[in-house]
């Protein structure tokens, strides 16, 4: 049945489509008729304008023709005969009684030669349409010798145009009626009659009559539609018979089905009672569950730590009150949101926090508890705070359904840890400064090391540059003693700073810390290209006494920190102790050096004295013995010195001894030593004499310099020198022996005409080498 109904339905749909198409064709035909009528009306209006234009153009041509004929007559000598002909022509052209004609012709002198005029009095001149044409000279076409005026009354023109339009209108109506008649005949024969017949046959089919066939004689689309409808009628007849048979079968089955429905109804009633009992049990269980959930919510709300749960996708499923208070969002805003994207998306340093490394996601993925102690959560206002949290997976049997995150705000603990760390670093820095003060370094080097220690303190917000100034006790100015990474223009400009000038000078003047976080009018020392910055200028004081200034650089716009102020004050006090201790040590060292100088040197000449000479000789002998070298000891006594001292006084003698000491020193080599034993006696140590000739050259140079006159009190003084020489290890190995033998050789030189030198020779009168 179903296989037969499908093509019948398709044919019925085809029929309905044909009718809809036919109605559309009729509508299109009607619209076409309307459009054609509009076109005919427009054509009629255009034709009326064309008739009027041709009518007025014809009269323009009439006027021009009359002017041309007049010009022809003008070509001949003007005669009475021509004038009569022209007048006759103007009277007869045109001949209508409703027209006005005027011809004017001028002669060569410009006077009126010919003038004809015909006017009808039957119409007013105000209802007349005039047409003008110039008469041109046949000799000179550009010269006008007259004019023609042709007048036509408006009523005459309208009657002519109306007659022409009436004929044109009847022609158009006749053509339109002929077209409509032809269309009606064709429509009745081709469409209307077959459609009417098909409508009658289809109406019987729709009334349920399946016995009468449906057919048309035409072989067009309507014929095909009739065949399809007839085939559909046949199939419907077959389907009707089949449905009747099946209806009988259904009546038999309905009885059986009714019995089964009754049995099922009884079974459903029993099931409904059981379902009511199950629902009652579940409602009681849900009530107990709600009570447990309420108790759980109360417990979660009273816990101080923040707690929230997430599902397998990281979306939050519950949030306790502590978490809401710490994070700033409401529960409605947080539930359903991804916890990592909402709270845990970025590290504290601003770098993105990948979700793959999130401990919450890791605990779900690895099915075990994960903890984090150095991370941050982000609040609703965009601020972060340090937290510690633990993420534990939620299990449903062996399956993980999500995780519970318990976190706490550790801001206070972090602040306390940071303060403890700052304090520890500060103690280390101060201890390092104190240890530096105990090292055997110069004060400048100690200040450089101290500046390096200060710049290395990590929690200070200072730049890696700075300087330390010391107070010049003589001028009272600040002198830069140590610096790190300062630009060359600053080194040139800030080498010495008067008290009160620029920021460091103000700190020295006020004895207070000067803090600025930008370059202002007090920043008197500047240079081209100087970057924006600020300063900590800390005075270094000891019991109110200004020892110097610590100058540190900070970033531009950095706010003042009281903790930094206190630490830098401690650093300045430590530096004050180091500076003061080093200054005391240097003072003691200078005093000790003066005492040592006084104990080991001759106060008159500044040369080593007898005690110090023996010590130096002992050191030199020990060194040459280790190295296997030789050494010479010279003992010298001035000749004629007593005479100068007695005649010119002890002051002159002292001046003479000072000058002699200078001359001896000018003759010595590097490493040689000269000393004054007392009076006019001098001793010398000559290092590394490879042979006696080297010693002789030195001694001869000394004697030569001493023999030169010395000007004292405007008078020249002449003295000489007698020198004895002993050698190591040839003449001895200890200081006493070498000095004794050099002394013996010197006396031998004095006994031998003086002003010369002798090498020590045992059991001999001596060997002399005189320099005259």
């Amino acid at each position: 049945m179903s296989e037969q109904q499908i093509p019948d339905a398709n044919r019925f749909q085809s029929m309905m489509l044909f009718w809809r198409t036919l109605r559309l064709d009729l509508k299109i035909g009607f619209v076409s008729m309307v459009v054609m009528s509009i076109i005919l009306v427009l054509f009629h209006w255009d034709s009326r304008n064309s008739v009027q234009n041709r009518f007025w153009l014809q009269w323009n041509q009439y006027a021009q023709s009359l002017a041309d004929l007049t010009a022809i007559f003008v070509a001949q000598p003007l005669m009475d005969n021509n004038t009569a002909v022209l007048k006759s022509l103007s009277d007869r052209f045109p001949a209508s009684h409703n027209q006005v004609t005027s011809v004017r012709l001028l002669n060569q002198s410009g006077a009126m030669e010919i003038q004809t005029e015909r006017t009808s009095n039957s119409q007013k001149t105000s209802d007349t349409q005039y047409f003008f044409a110039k008469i041109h000279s046949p000799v000179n076409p550009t010269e006008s010798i007259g004019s023609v005026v042709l007048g036509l009354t408006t009523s005459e023109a309208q009657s002519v145009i109306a007659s022409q339009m009436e004929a044109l209108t009847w022609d158009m109506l006749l053509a339109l009626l002929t077209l409509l008649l032809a269309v009606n005949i064709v429509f009745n024969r081709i469409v209307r009659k077959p459609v009417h017949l098909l409508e009658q046959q289809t109406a019987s089919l729709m009334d349920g009559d399946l016995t009468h066939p449906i057919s048309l004689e035409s072989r067009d689309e309507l014929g095909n539609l009739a065949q399809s409808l007839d085939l559909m009628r046949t199939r419907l007849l077959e389907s009707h018979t089949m449905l009747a048979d099946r209806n009988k079968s259904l009546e038999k089955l309905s009885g059986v089905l009714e019995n089964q429905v009754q049995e099922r109804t009884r079974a459903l009633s029993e099931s409904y009672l059981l379902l009511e009992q199950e629902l009652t049990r579940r409602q009681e269980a849900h009530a107990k569950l709600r009570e447990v959930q309420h108790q759980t919510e109360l417990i979660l709300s009273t816990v101080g730590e923040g707690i929230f749960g997430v599902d397998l996708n990281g979306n939050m499923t519950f949030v306790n009150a502590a978490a809401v208070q710490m994070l700033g969002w409401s529960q409605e805003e947080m539930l359903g949101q991804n916890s990592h994207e909402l709270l845990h998306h970025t590290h504290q340093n601003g770098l993105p926090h990948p979700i793959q490394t999130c401990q919450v996601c890791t605990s779900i993925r690895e099915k075990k508890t994960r903890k984090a102690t150095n991370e941050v959560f982000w609040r609703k206002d965009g601020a972060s705070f340090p937290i510690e949290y633990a993420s534990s997976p939620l299990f449903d049997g062996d399956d993980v359904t999500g995780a519970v995150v318990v976190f706490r705000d550790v801001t206070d603990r972090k602040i306390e840890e940071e303060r403890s760390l700052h304090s520890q670093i500060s103690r280390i820095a101060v201890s390092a400064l104190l240890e530096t003060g105990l090292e055997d370094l110069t004060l400048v080097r100690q200040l450089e090391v101290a500046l390096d220690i200060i710049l290395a303190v990590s929690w200070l917000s200072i730049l890696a540059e700075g300087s330390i100034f010391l107070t010049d006790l003589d001028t009272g100015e600040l002198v830069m003693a140590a610096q790190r990474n300062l630009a060359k223009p600053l080194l040139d400009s800030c080498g010495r700073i008067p008290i009160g000038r620029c920021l460091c000078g103000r700190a020295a003047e006020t004895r207070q810390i000067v803090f600025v976080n930008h370059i202002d009018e007090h920043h008197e020392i500047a240079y081209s290209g100087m970057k924006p910055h600020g300063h900590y200028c800390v005075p270094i004081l000891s019991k109110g006494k200004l020892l110097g200034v610590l100058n540190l650089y900070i970033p531009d716009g950095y706010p003042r920190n009281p903790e930094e102020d206190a630490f830098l004050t401690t650093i300045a006090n430590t530096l004050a102790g180091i500076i003061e201790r080093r200054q005391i040590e240097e003072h003691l060292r200078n005093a000790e050096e003066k005492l040592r100088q006084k104990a080991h040197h001759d106060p008159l000449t500044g040369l080593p004295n007898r005690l110090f000479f023996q010590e130096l000789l002992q050191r030199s002998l020990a060194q040459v013995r280790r190295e296997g070298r030789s050494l010479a000891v010279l003992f010298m006594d001035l000749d004629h010195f007593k005479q100068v001292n007695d005649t010119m006084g002890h002051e002159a003698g002292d001046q003479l001894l000072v000058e002699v000491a200078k001359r001896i020193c000018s003759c010595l080599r590097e490493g040689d030593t000269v000393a004054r034993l007392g009076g006019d006696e001098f001793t010398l140590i000559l290092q590394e004499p490879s042979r006696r000739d080297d010693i002789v050259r030195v001694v001869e140079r000394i004697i030569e310099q001493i023999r030169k006159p010395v000007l004292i009190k405007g008078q020249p003084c002449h003295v000489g020198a007698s020198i004895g020489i002993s050698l190591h290890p040839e003449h001895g190995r200890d200081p006493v022996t070498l000095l004794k033998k050099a002394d013996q050789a010197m006396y031998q030189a004095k006994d031998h005409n003086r002003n010369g030198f002798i090498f020590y020779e045992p059991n001999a009168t001596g060997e002399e080498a005189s320099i005259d």
Side-chain angles (χ1 to χ4, degrees):
M1 177 180 177
S2 60
E3 295 179 355
Q4 294 175 353
Q5 287 178 348
I6 293 175
D8 294 341
N10 292 336
R11 289 185 179 88
F12 186 76
Q13 291 177 358
S14 300
M15 182 183 69
M16 297 305 295
L17 178 63
F18 172 77
W19 278 107
R20 288 195 296 270
T21 305
L22 180 61
R23 288 196 299 270
L24 179 63
D25 292 341
L26 293 176
K27 293 178 182 178
I28 293 174
F30 177 75
V31 172
S32 301
M33 294 295 294
V34 173
V35 172
M36 185 178 295
S37 301
I38 293 173
I39 293 173
L40 289 175
V41 171
L42 293 176
F43 178 74
H44 178 268
W45 181 260
D46 183 68
S47 300
R48 178 181 178 87
N49 293 335
S50 300
V51 169
Q52 291 179 354
N53 291 336
R54 285 197 303 271
F55 180 80
W56 296 120
L57 180 62
Q58 182 179 5
W59 280 97
N60 275 324
Q61 292 176 352
Y62 288 165
Q64 188 62 44
S65 298
L66 184 58
D68 293 341
L69 289 175
T70 304
I72 293 173
F73 284 103
V74 174
Q76 298 296 329
L78 296 175
M79 300 174 60
D80 293 338
N81 188 22
N82 291 344
T83 304
V85 173
L86 183 60
K87 291 180 177 180
S88 176
L89 181 61
S90 65
D91 292 337
R92 289 183 290 105
F93 182 77
S96 174
H97 66 277
N98 288 328
Q99 298 163 356
V100 178
T101 304
S102 176
V103 178
R104 295 180 178 85
L105 186 64
L106 304 177
N107 57 18
Q108 294 181 353
S109 61
M112 184 68 68
E113 183 70 25
I114 297 175
Q115 180 172 359
T116 63
E117 186 170 340
R118 180 177 180 275
T119 304
S120 175
N121 295 325
S122 61
Q123 297 289 338
K124 295 180 180 180
T125 57
S126 60
D127 297 331
T128 304
Q129 180 72 33
Y130 292 96
F131 302 90
F132 296 89
K134 292 182 180 181
I135 302 174
H136 296 282
S137 172
V139 179
N140 186 3
T142 62
E143 180 182 359
S144 176
I145 60 175
S147 64
V148 173
V149 179
L150 186 63
L152 180 65
T153 60
T154 304
S155 60
E156 179 69 16
Q158 291 177 350
S159 63
V160 174
I161 292 173
S163 62
Q164 294 181 359
M165 287 301 301
E166 183 178 359
L168 181 60
T169 301
W170 283 109
D171 293 340
M172 291 175 58
L173 291 175
L174 181 62
L176 180 60
L177 291 175
T178 303
L179 178 61
L180 292 175
L181 181 61
V183 171
N184 186 39
I185 293 172
V186 173
F187 180 76
N188 287 332
R189 181 175 181 82
I190 296 176
V191 178
R192 185 176 181 183
K193 185 177 181 179
V195 169
H196 182 67
L197 179 60
L198 184 61
E199 182 180 4
Q200 292 176 352
Q201 295 176 354
T202 305
S204 63
L205 178 62
M206 295 179 63
D207 292 338
D209 186 4
L210 302 177
T211 59
H212 292 83
I214 300 174
S215 63
L216 291 176
E217 296 179 356
S218 61
R219 300 301 179 187
D220 53 7
E221 293 180 353
L222 289 175
N224 295 335
L225 178 61
Q227 292 179 2
S228 299
L229 290 174
D230 189 65
L231 180 60
M232 184 180 68
R233 180 191 63 79
T234 304
R235 298 290 177 83
L236 287 174
L237 182 61
E238 295 174 355
S239 300
H240 185 269
T241 303
M242 187 179 297
L243 287 174
D245 296 337
R246 291 194 175 183
N247 190 27
K248 294 178 181 180
S249 300
L250 289 174
E251 288 179 354
K252 294 179 181 180
L253 294 174
S254 62
V256 177
L257 181 61
E258 185 176 358
N259 295 330
Q260 293 179 352
V261 168
Q262 291 177 356
E263 294 177 359
R264 290 290 181 89
T265 301
R266 287 193 298 270
L268 288 174
S269 298
E270 295 175 356
S271 300
Y272 179 74
L273 292 176
L274 295 176
L275 182 60
E276 284 185 344
Q277 295 176 359
E278 180 66 19
L279 288 175
T280 302
R281 187 184 63 81
R282 291 195 176 187
Q283 288 175 355
E284 294 175 354
H286 287 167
K288 293 181 180 179
L289 179 61
R290 284 195 297 270
E291 184 178 357
V292 172
Q293 289 179 345
H294 180 66
Q295 294 294 331
T296 303
E297 291 176 356
L298 290 177
I299 294 173
L300 292 177
S301 63
T302 57
V303 174
E305 286 80 5
I307 302 175
F308 64 86
V310 296
D311 58 17
L312 293 177
N313 297 321
N315 298 327
M316 287 186 281
T317 57
F318 67 87
V319 183
N320 75 335
V324 170
Q325 183 178 3
M326 284 188 281
L327 297 173
W329 282 283
S330 64
Q331 287 186 346
E332 292 75 12
E333 292 174 325
M334 298 178 67
L335 292 179
Q337 297 293 326
N338 186 277
S339 64
H340 183 78
E341 294 178 358
L342 186 67
L343 313 173
H344 207 200
H345 47 79
T346 307
H347 289 293
Q348 187 174 9
N349 57 7
L351 295 177
H353 189 171
I355 193 171
Q356 295 80 4
T357 61
C358 177
Q359 298 297 335
V360 177
C361 301
T362 304
S363 68
I364 297 175
R365 186 171 58 252
E366 298 181 355
K367 299 182 179 181
K368 61 182 180 180
T369 300
R370 300 301 296 265
K371 296 181 179 180
T373 58
N374 192 23
E375 295 191 14
V376 296
F377 276 174
W378 294 86
R379 295 189 178 94
K380 182 178 181 180
D381 59 4
S384 64
F385 62 98
I387 52 98
E388 287 181 351
Y389 71 90
S391 176
S392 301
L394 289 174
F395 289 94
D396 184 4
D398 295 333
D399 298 329
V400 176
T401 60
V404 175
V405 181
V406 180
F407 68 94
R408 64 171 56 93
D409 185 352
V410 294
T411 302
D412 295 337
R413 195 188 72 188
K414 288 288 185 181
I415 293 174
E416 187 61 31
E417 289 177 354
E418 187 175 356
R419 289 177 179 173
S420 177
L421 180 60
H422 289 181
S423 178
Q424 183 178 1
I425 294 174
S426 301
R427 288 195 299 270
I428 293 173
V430 173
S431 298
L433 289 178
L434 294 175
E435 291 178 3
T436 302
L438 298 176
E439 294 180 2
D440 188 14
L441 301 173
T442 62
L443 178 58
V444 172
R445 180 56 185 159
Q446 284 185 334
L447 294 179
E448 290 177 347
V449 174
L451 188 58
D452 291 335
I453 293 172
I454 297 169
L455 296 179
V457 177
S458 58
W459 67 270
L460 287 178
S461 299
I462 58 177
L463 304 176
E465 50 187 315
S467 58
I468 298 177
F469 293 88
L470 293 178
T471 303
D472 189 336
L473 299 178
D474 298 330
T475 63
E477 294 180 325
L478 295 177
V479 180
M480 186 183 296
Q483 63 86 22
R484 283 293 182 265
N485 304 321
L486 295 187
K488 188 177 184 304
L490 285 180
L491 297 178
D492 298 337
S493 303
C494 298
R496 299 183 73 89
I497 299 178
I499 301 298
R501 187 187 181 209
C502 202
L503 301 177
C504 295
R506 288 178 56 205
E509 183 180 36
T510 61
R511 304 296 201 271
Q512 300 292 330
I513 295 179
V514 174
F515 172 86
V516 292
N517 60 359
H518 62 283
I519 300 175
D520 57 9
E521 67 279 2
H522 300 294
H523 212 111
E524 301 177 22
I525 299 177
Y527 61 93
S528 177
M530 185 169 64
K531 297 180 180 179
H533 64 276
H535 281 279
Y536 267 118
C537 295
V538 186
I540 303 173
L541 304 173
S542 176
K543 298 179 181 179
K545 178 183 177 182
L546 179 67
L547 301 180
V549 173
L550 171 62
N551 175 37
L552 299 175
Y553 289 74
I554 59 175
D556 183 58
Y558 175 74
R560 191 166 186 173
N561 188 342
E563 186 179 1
E564 290 182 346
D565 282 12
F567 174 71
L568 293 178
T569 302
T570 302
I571 291 295
N573 294 334
T574 306
L575 288 175
I578 293 174
I579 294 171
E580 195 169 33
R581 179 177 179 275
R582 181 57 61 184
Q583 289 178 347
I584 293 174
E585 288 178 352
E586 289 182 357
H587 178 73
L588 293 175
R589 188 181 296 109
N590 292 335
E592 183 180 351
E593 180 65 24
K594 290 180 180 179
L595 291 175
R596 193 182 66 83
Q597 180 77 11
K598 186 175 182 180
H600 291 83
H601 291 78
D602 175 46
L604 178 63
T605 62
L607 297 177
N609 56 16
R610 180 186 297 272
L611 180 63
F612 191 31
F613 178 78
Q614 290 178 351
E615 182 180 344
L616 293 176
L617 180 57
Q618 185 68 40
R619 294 177 188 174
S620 299
L621 289 173
Q623 183 177 358
V624 297
R625 280 195 297 268
R626 288 193 304 268
E627 299 175 0
R629 297 184 290 106
S630 61
L631 179 144
V633 177
L634 283 65
F635 203 105
M636 183 180 70
D637 186 80
L638 297 182
D639 299 330
H640 313 296
F641 175 75
K642 188 175 181 303
Q643 181 180 352
V644 174
N645 205 22
D646 293 342
T647 58
M648 299 183 67
H650 292 287
E651 184 179 353
D654 291 343
Q655 293 181 11
L656 178 61
L657 289 174
V658 171
E659 181 62 26
V660 168
K662 292 179 181 179
R663 292 183 181 184
I664 294 174
C665 291
S666 66
C667 298
L668 298 181
R669 303 165 302 174
E670 183 179 359
D672 296 340
T673 304
V674 59
R676 180 186 176 215
L677 300 185
D680 58 351
E681 294 179 342
F682 294 87
T683 54
L684 294 85
I685 303 173
L686 302 183
Q687 300 279 356
E688 298 186 5
S690 58
R691 53 186 179 177
R692 291 194 177 190
D693 291 344
D694 297 334
I695 300 173
V696 171
R697 281 193 293 271
V698 174
V699 173
E700 288 178 346
R701 197 160 51 244
I702 293 173
I703 293 174
E704 182 180 359
Q705 290 296 325
I706 292 176
R707 289 180 60 185
K708 293 180 180 180
V710 179
L711 191 62
I712 298 176
K713 296 182 180 181
Q715 297 181 7
C717 298
H718 297 274
V719 293
S722 298
I723 301 174
I725 305 169
S726 61
L727 303 175
H728 171 276
E730 182 178 349
H731 299 147
R733 293 180 175 272
D734 60 274
V736 176
T737 302
L738 291 173
L739 279 173
K740 180 180 179 181
K741 292 182 178 181
D743 186 25
Q744 293 175 359
M746 184 271 296
Y747 280 107
Q748 292 175 5
K750 277 190 173 292
D751 293 341
H752 197 279
N753 296 327
R754 301 187 178 186
N755 201 23
F757 65 90
I758 292 178
F759 283 93
Y760 172 78
E761 289 294 341
N763 301 324
T765 57
E767 180 180 355
E768 179 183 356
S770 174
I771 307 180
D772 199 306

